[in-house]
Amino acid sequence: MDKENLRLTSSEIGTLWGEYVNGTMIDTVNRYMYTIIEDEAIKAIFEDALSTFERQKNQMVTFLENEGFPIPVGFSEEDINKGAKRLFSDIFCLNYLHIMTLHGLIGHSTALGVSVRKDLRQFYDSCDNDGKRMYHQTIELLLEKGSFQRDPLFYPKKNPEFIESEDFTDGLFGKGRNLSATEIISISFNLKKSIMAKTLSIAFSQVAQSKEVRKFLSDSEKTADQQIQTFSKIMHKDNLPTPRSWETEVTTSTDSPFSDKLMMYHTGFLFQAAQVYHGTGLASAMRTDLTATYEGIIIKNLMVTKKWFNIMEENKWLEQPPLAPNRKEIANEK
């Protein structure tokens, strides 16, 4: 086998396509944020993020063109109004970059896991290194500015312990037990993601042009808030703190920096990505009430994404990824 001339597989093309579309969306938001940020330290990190993605985008274009695939439309200057009034504070912009960097790290790892060709593996290795650099930079600056809330702290016990009763899984009936450290991983992460989704839904609903889009975004904000309240109640029951909200970091501007297409796609992206993290939380939950909570949230998010798909499809905003060949159509065309 000629390892140097392998064609890219469907999975490899799929990850490139997804990374390009999602990457151009986040890059467009970053470009707007770069124009409004006043803090020089935050601005410098965004400048690094913009130049980094430009390099990655060019490489993705090369991969796709060499395989004969069209370059996705994605998002571009047409989806941004750089002259729009400030919609976010500087510190929210930094927190946004941090959360989106986490998305990128997970996406790069997934893409690497399905990549076989050496040059593509090397590309995702470099993307992962870029993401880790950005992750460290955003955390360091958030800590420096006192705006990074760490997950709850535990006090250690002297010796390891073992589960001795089926009551360990009981959360719906009986007295239940306190949350475990492994369960808090997913709860804290899902809280931070829901807080970001709620904040962006509030901001986007203020500036969206379409009445239908505004209604969807308003409903999305309520759904995210319900999930925040649900997870917060679970944490508070064990006297554990929850992450701060970011709503006050959104201004009262009604001047839209983005196209309705971008804001809708971004909201759908967050809810779809959340399904992965809720599924992880469900798999790691060892208390019956947590299992029921995750199942309920997953079902609710499916309803949100169904409405999202309908609006995107009606407006022809949803770009179609490469499809497997339809052999019946090919045969009929002969």
Side-chain angles (χ1 to χ4, degrees), residues 100-295:
M100 293 304 116
T101 297
L102 283 172
H103 274 301
L105 283 170
I106 294 169
H108 300 327
S109 297
T110 301
L112 178 61
V114 299
S115 298
V116 175
R117 215 170 74 181
K118 187 175 182 179
D119 57 347
L120 194 58
R121 284 185 281 122
Q122 290 174 332
F123 169 66
Y124 285 125
D125 268 341
S126 69
C127 289
D128 189 56
N129 289 332
D130 290 334
K132 286 186 286 189
R133 184 185 73 251
M134 193 64 56
Y135 175 77
H136 290 304
Q137 288 179 342
T138 54
I139 280 189
E140 288 296 325
L141 193 52
L142 282 167
L143 286 170
E144 180 182 317
K145 294 183 176 297
S147 295
F148 188 89
Q149 185 169 338
R150 299 168 64 200
D151 293 339
L153 301 177
F154 275 11
Y155 291 95
K157 293 190 175 181
K158 291 182 179 180
N159 300 305
E161 296 179 316
F162 291 85
I163 298 171
E164 298 180 348
S165 168
E166 291 183 1
D167 289 342
F168 188 85
T169 63
D170 187 12
L172 291 175
F173 309 102
K175 65 179 182 179
R177 60 158 173 83
N178 286 13
L179 293 168
S180 69
T182 52
E183 290 166 337
I184 289 176
I185 295 171
S186 292
I187 293 174
S188 290
F189 193 67
N190 281 307
L191 261 171
K192 293 173 185 176
K193 299 282 297 166
S194 295
I195 289 169
M196 176 59 68
K198 177 184 177 182
T199 307
L200 285 178
S201 294
I202 290 172
F204 291 165
S205 65
Q206 287 182 191
V207 299
Q209 302 297 312
S210 163
K211 183 177 180 180
E212 182 182 36
V213 171
R214 288 198 302 274
K215 175 67 166 58
F216 173 83
L217 292 169
S218 179
D219 290 344
S220 299
E221 180 262 318
K222 292 175 184 175
T223 299
D225 184 64
Q226 289 169 359
Q227 295 174 9
I228 292 167
Q229 300 304 320
T230 297
F231 285 126
S232 295
K233 184 178 179 180
I234 293 170
M235 295 284 275
H236 290 157
K237 188 176 179 181
D238 284 354
N239 297 309
L240 296 172
T242 55
R244 61 162 290 192
S245 63
W246 294 98
E247 296 100 314
T248 56
E249 304 301 327
V250 177
T251 72
T252 56
S253 173
T254 56
D255 189 15
S256 181
F258 310 115
S259 66
D260 282 8
K261 169 190 169 184
L262 183 144
M263 292 186 288
M264 278 293 298
Y265 185 90
H266 203 320
T267 305
F269 165 79
L270 290 176
F271 274 91
Q272 289 171 342
Q275 295 292 67
V276 177
Y277 307 124
H278 295 322
T280 301
L282 176 61
S284 63
M286 298 180 70
R287 230 171 62 178
T288 50
D289 62 324
L290 292 181
T291 301
T293 295
Y294 282 118
E295 288 175 344

